Amino acid sequence: MRSHIFMRSLFAILKKEFAQIKRDKISLRLLFILPILQTLVLGYALSRDVKNISFGVVDLDHSAESAEVAEHMSHNARFTRHTTFARIEDAREALLRGQILLTIIIPKGFSEDVERAMPTEDDPESGTPAKVQILVDGQDAATSATGAGYAESILQAWGTQQLVKHLEAQGIEVQSITPLEIHDRILFNPELEYSWYMVPGMVVLLVTMVTALLTSFSLVRERENGTLEQLMVTPVSPSAVLLGKAIPYWILGQIVFILALTITGLWFGVPLTRANPLGLLLGISLFALTCVSLGIVVSTAVQSQQQALFMIWFFLIFFILTSGFMLPFESMPMWMQSVTEFNAVRHFLYIVRALILRGAPAISLWPEYAKLAFIGGMLFLTSVVLFKRKSS
Amino acid sequence: MNPNRLVAVAAKEFHHILRDGQTLFIIVSLPVVMMFMFGYALKSEIEDAPIVLIDPHPSPASRILAQALEANSQFHVVEVVAAGDPEKILVRTRARAIIRIDADYEKNITEGGAQVSVLLDGSDPAMATTLRYAIPGFFHAHIAQALQQKVPEVVHVDTRFLYNPEQKSALFFVPGLMATILIMIGALLTSVTVTREKESGTLSNLRISNLHAGEIILGKLTPYFVIASVSGFFILLVGRLVFDVHIRGNSGFLACSTALYLLVALGIGLLISTVVQKQQHAMLMSLGLTMMPTIMLSGFVFPLASLPYPLQILSKIIPATWYLQIVRGVVLKAASWNDLWFCALVLGVMAVVLLVLASARFSREH
């Protein structure tokens, strides 16, 4: 009998909550359109790859070789914008103004140095190599290191090419400069499309944010208006109120996730078909539970919607930064990696990416599912306890 | 406009902010916590990438190879196996790359013709790209050292990183945090507080009082301007004391540009609050229109030059793009007014347009 009353009051609250959500057209629109629109735009932006590098050349040698080096650079697809500077000072000025990312400086006497660097009969190992200098704008450590790395490897490849030409001219057949041949093959994402990696991640983040925020907002708003208190003085039990609040947002979070993932995934050609759909559903249902619980926990700790916003924002920044969303978590120190075991975003992100990109069997991800279930369950229990204490 | 009344509104707003200790605490501590995270826990370089080595016929040379791989800071050898399908290993485990050497590795490296195959997990393109270059680089260096043989080098490249010779990441995140936190306070906090007053009806109370619209606007915005300035100063201070980030250029110019940027942020916040009626909508709009673009499209995290053309144009209307150029320019490069006047001008124009538009809308509602 008691369970019958419980179910009836739960259904009543659910009905009220859904009606309220449906009535708030603006929130609903923002809820669905924002994640999709943002992912569509940012899917193009979220690339840590360095492309379209604008670079300068200061050629102090004016020889055929130095011209060839400059040419070699601009033929590379990554180095698109090429400016020639007469003096080093001009190139530095351009670096200062941020017009170029790097400049190569070919010193006077470069062509003779290349000649001298070649191995000869009496000295089979080569002589002193010819020098080329690269000046890089180091303001953004990651970009500048990547850009400089590309430039170095292009220049060195040119050098090796000269060496092979030189040896072949002497009648020595060259198969390989080193005793070792390395072949590489890239699985799962052979074209290395960044959007494949970033788009599912972006969807996860936006769903986390929206679900947690909306849950806590709906609770805090009712508390601010005093309607939550009114609910509490009715015979409806606090658990029914809590479930009635949690379930709609739990479902909404899952719908937003599936919808946003499908639309943006199709748009960017992310290989969604590789994923086990049941694996994804299980993941999002566990994860949405975590987000909803986080929203409830926060709502019990704050007095206003504004506080809820900033508190959730505070947590989320932590979760996002340590989730491996854009910075690899293998690079984090060990203690930080252990701390992030409690980060549900990290585990869910891992599941989503493994399922979609690698087509990993869901079974092989059981530790992640278990952790997700544990975190979600514990957080939900905490939220129930806190909510009951706050309401009584 | 009466200065006394303006001060009264501002004092009331200050009082509100100070009373809400929780929000204030988060606003002040968030940048500091983020700085420590970026400074000590987060790195964009790749370290300890998990690798599985397939070694069909273990030999002294291959054992040395495994040790050398492990000793390299970029790799972490999770497992050495004698046989196995590399694709399966990559699908089922956390390994990011599988390196397979041939059975005669020891013999072949001395006589030439050793074959090494590398299978990379392309799902994280940044990781795959790095490993794709790092693994051959490692092998060449390792073989040259093991055989004491010099690989002929024709061109020696000497790379120098200007402005940030030690490649400190602090120089990258301190300016980025300035841009993000200031927009958070200026746009997000402001739009949410103004709409809160709308929701609770206290804004109407202010309106029917004999206060001028300009007094309300200035009175409401001034405290946030002050708090954001303090917060920005705090970021620079922690950056200097803890992470050794010194301002090389003209601090006065930096301060003026920061003030302009803040005015832009406040303008956006005020504009949003005139468009929406509810805190929740204000918040979703601020997050979507200001926070995310500031983090993603301003050049803070992702390099601007790599963006496709339409997004490069879009990035030009994001205030943080211009502000970030100024902060990085002044702090790292000692760039001056001559180099950066255009960025400051753009910010100035944005500030005027946004504030005029927002005030006009606000007064009309008044």
Side-chain angles (χ1 to χ4, degrees):
Chain A
M1 193 56 207
R2 274 194 57 189
S3 72
H4 178 66
I5 296 176
F6 180 82
M7 287 314 280
R8 259 190 37 203
S9 49
L10 174 60
F11 273 120
I13 293 187
L14 279 176
K15 224 168 108 187
K16 165 210 148 256
E17 198 61 35
F18 274 118
Q20 223 168 13
I21 292 173
K22 245 172 50 197
R23 223 191 41 193
D24 186 358
K25 287 274 180 328
I26 302 181
S27 284
L28 214 54
R29 232 174 279 157
L30 289 174
L31 175 64
F32 280 94
I33 295 174
L34 267 186
I36 294 172
L37 210 62
Q38 288 210 332
T39 315
L40 286 183
V41 174
L42 296 176
Y44 290 104
L46 297 175
S47 156
R48 307 231 300 115
D49 197 10
V50 185
K51 286 185 289 196
N52 305 329
I53 302 170
S54 35
F55 72 105
V57 176
V58 184
D59 183 357
L60 300 175
D61 193 40
H62 301 292
S63 62
E65 278 82 1
S66 63
E68 207 183 306
V69 168
E71 176 106 352
H72 205 73
M73 285 276 288
S74 40
H75 276 211
N76 188 284
R78 289 179 192 280
F79 290 85
T80 44
R81 281 168 275 175
H82 173 177
T83 324
T84 316
F85 297 100
R87 301 177 310 152
I88 300 180
E89 290 74 36
D90 300 338
R92 274 181 173 267
E93 183 74 22
L95 280 168
L96 179 68
R97 296 191 172 194
Q99 288 154 345
I100 53 174
L101 177 70
L102 55 88
T103 185
I104 58 172
I105 300 171
I106 305 172
K108 214 169 158 46
F110 175 74
S111 56
E112 289 100 48
D113 287 346
V114 171
E115 200 65 44
R116 248 177 271 138
M118 297 299 171
T120 50
E121 294 282 332
D122 15 284
D123 181 14
E125 296 197 348
S126 63
T128 14
K131 283 200 172 58
V132 176
Q133 195 176 41
I134 301 182
L135 294 182
V136 195
D137 177 350
Q139 61 173 357
D140 173 352
T143 308
S144 51
T146 315
Y150 288 138
E152 280 171 25
S153 64
I154 292 171
L155 292 174
Q156 254 139 15
W158 180 83
T160 312
Q161 202 183 318
Q162 297 303 305
L163 180 67
V164 173
K165 264 193 214 159
H166 176 84
L167 292 176
E168 274 171 355
Q170 291 184 339
I172 307 166
E173 202 174 317
V174 191
Q175 271 172 341
S176 166
I177 299 290
T178 55
L180 178 90
E181 242 179 281
I182 299 176
H183 309 276
D184 61 24
R185 196 154 68 84
I186 299 169
L187 273 192
F188 313 132
N189 183 359
E191 301 293 318
L192 295 178
E193 294 282 351
Y194 266 79
S195 56
W196 288 16
Y197 186 64
M198 286 305 201
V199 163
M202 197 66 208
V203 172
V204 169
L205 295 194
L206 289 166
V207 167
T208 318
M209 211 179 293
V210 187
T211 314
L213 277 174
L214 290 186
T215 313
S216 76
F217 262 44
S218 90
L219 279 162
V220 176
R221 196 176 41 212
E222 291 226 35
R223 191 167 282 136
E224 273 182 329
N225 296 341
T227 45
L228 196 65
E229 226 175 354
Q230 288 173 10
L231 269 181
M232 288 305 172
V233 293
T234 61
V236 177
S237 75
S239 315
V241 174
L242 184 74
L243 279 181
K245 280 272 166 199
I247 291 172
Y249 290 100
W250 181 66
I251 295 175
L252 219 57
Q254 301 185 50
I255 295 176
V256 173
F257 176 75
I258 293 167
L259 211 66
L261 187 68
T262 315
I263 294 176
T264 57
L266 287 176
W267 180 271
F268 286 101
V270 179
L272 296 176
T273 44
R274 287 183 199 164
N276 175 345
L278 288 178
L280 273 182
L281 280 181
L282 176 64
I284 181 63
S285 61
L286 292 174
F287 183 66
L289 177 70
T290 316
C291 300
V292 168
S293 310
L294 176 69
I296 301 172
V297 169
V298 167
S299 80
T300 61
V302 300
Q303 270 91 43
S304 67
Q305 295 182 54
Q306 190 187 334
Q307 288 181 350
L309 165 65
F310 278 96
M311 203 161 190
I312 287 183
W313 188 238
F314 188 78
F315 279 122
L316 281 186
I317 282 179
F318 256 121
F319 290 159
I320 293 172
L321 285 177
T322 61
S323 68
F325 167 58
M326 45 190 186
L327 305 164
F329 66 67
E330 282 95 349
S331 302
M332 294 191 300
M334 269 331 273
W335 61 269
M336 199 64 198
Q337 290 193 30
S338 322
V339 171
T340 61
E341 285 292 345
F342 295 98
N343 180 356
V345 182
R346 170 192 152 176
H347 300 305
F348 184 53
L349 202 61
Y350 184 79
I351 291 176
V352 170
R353 281 174 173 166
L355 288 174
I356 294 177
L357 294 163
R358 286 196 263 142
I363 303 287
S364 71
L365 298 169
W366 71 266
E368 276 72 31
Y369 284 112
K371 288 173 201 165
L372 210 52
F374 178 76
I375 298 170
M378 291 307 282
L379 204 58
F380 184 67
L381 285 181
T382 316
S383 75
V384 172
V385 171
L386 288 176
F387 184 80
K388 280 193 169 163
R389 189 188 299 163
K390 179 105 182 180
S391 333
S392 57
Chain B
M1 204 176 285
N2 183 332
N4 287 338
R5 291 195 299 212
L6 194 150
V7 170
V9 177
K12 170 213 141 253
E13 196 63 32
F14 259 122
H15 202 73
H16 266 303
I17 297 171
L18 292 180
R19 223 191 41 186
D20 183 359
Q22 209 174 0
T23 305
L24 195 66
F25 174 75
I26 288 178
I27 292 171
V28 175
S29 62
L30 189 60
V32 178
V33 170
M34 281 175 77
M35 283 169 92
F36 278 92
M37 298 260 292
F38 274 118
Y40 296 113
L42 300 169
K43 280 189 197 133
S44 55
E45 303 91 70
I46 282 155
E47 275 175 26
D48 291 331
I51 279 177
V52 170
L53 179 67
I54 301 184
D55 179 7
H57 184 76
S59 61
S62 70
R63 272 190 284 273
I64 293 173
L65 172 72
Q67 279 166 11
L69 267 172
E70 181 62 47
N72 189 301
S73 68
Q74 284 186 301
F75 317 119
H76 167 57
V77 181
V78 193
E79 218 183 340
V80 181
V81 291
D85 180 356
E87 295 197 14
K88 274 212 180 109
I89 302 176
L90 218 48
V91 171
R92 284 167 184 276
T93 66
R94 282 179 180 271
R96 303 289 193 134
I98 316 288
I99 300 176
R100 184 195 204 133
I101 55 178
D102 39 43
D104 299 328
Y105 174 77
E106 181 154 42
K107 183 166 139 271
N108 287 348
I109 53 164
T110 41
E111 292 173 9
Q115 303 277 329
V116 173
S117 56
V118 178
L119 195 67
L120 295 160
D121 172 1
S123 52
D124 179 352
M127 180 72 91
T129 310
T130 307
L131 292 179
R132 196 182 194 181
Y133 286 99
I135 292 174
F138 163 80
F139 266 99
H140 290 310
H142 174 69
I143 298 291
Q145 197 197 15
L147 302 180
Q148 303 205 323
Q149 186 190 69
K150 215 170 107 198
V151 180
E153 191 188 28
V154 177
V155 175
H156 175 77
V157 186
D158 165 32
T159 304
R160 278 176 50 202
F161 291 90
L162 299 179
Y163 318 122
N164 184 6
E166 293 146 63
Q167 292 277 286
K168 280 194 294 192
S169 62
L171 295 179
F172 150 80
F173 65 73
V174 168
L177 275 178
M178 291 279 286
T180 319
I181 298 293
L182 295 188
I183 207 114
M184 185 177 99
I185 299 174
L188 186 64
L189 190 61
T190 314
S191 69
V192 174
T193 13
V194 175
T195 30
R196 183 177 57 187
E197 291 225 37
K198 258 191 188 175
E199 264 184 20
S200 58
T202 47
L203 198 63
S204 313
N205 291 350
L206 278 181
R207 280 178 180 152
I208 52 172
S209 67
N210 55 358
L211 284 170
H212 192 268
E215 288 162 356
I216 301 180
I217 294 175
L218 271 181
K220 284 215 96 71
L221 296 190
T222 310
Y224 295 99
F225 186 88
V226 173
I227 290 178
S229 311
V230 172
S231 179
F233 179 74
F234 205 52
I235 296 175
L236 287 178
L237 191 71
V238 175
R240 179 175 184 140
L241 295 180
V242 183
F243 298 103
D244 206 26
V245 177
H246 290 263
I247 301 172
R248 297 197 193 135
N250 185 336
S251 312
F253 177 57
L254 183 63
C256 293
S257 322
T258 305
L260 276 181
Y261 178 66
L262 259 174
L263 289 178
V264 176
L266 292 170
I268 297 175
L270 192 64
L271 193 61
I272 289 178
S273 71
T274 63
V275 177
V276 299
Q277 303 300 328
K278 282 185 170 174
Q279 287 184 63
Q280 187 170 336
H281 303 159
M283 174 213 81
L284 284 173
M285 267 182 98
S286 308
L287 283 178
L289 293 178
T290 61
M291 292 301 299
M292 296 305 256
T294 298
I295 298 173
M296 308 285 182
L297 289 178
S298 66
F300 170 25
V301 184
F302 302 104
L304 276 184
S306 307
L307 294 182
Y309 193 65
L311 285 185
Q312 291 207 15
I313 295 175
L314 187 63
S315 75
K316 299 262 189 280
I317 60 166
I318 294 170
T321 308
W322 303 97
Y323 180 61
L324 210 55
Q325 273 190 47
I326 297 179
V327 186
R328 285 181 173 170
V330 173
V331 173
L332 305 179
K333 299 181 177 179
S336 60
W337 170 252
N338 286 336
D339 307 302
L340 297 168
W341 64 270
F342 187 69
C343 301
L345 182 69
V346 173
L347 284 180
V349 172
M350 283 179 173
V352 171
V353 170
L354 282 166
L355 282 172
V356 167
L357 196 66
S359 308
R361 286 190 62 108
F362 190 85
S363 312
R364 208 181 315 146
E365 279 184 55
H366 195 58

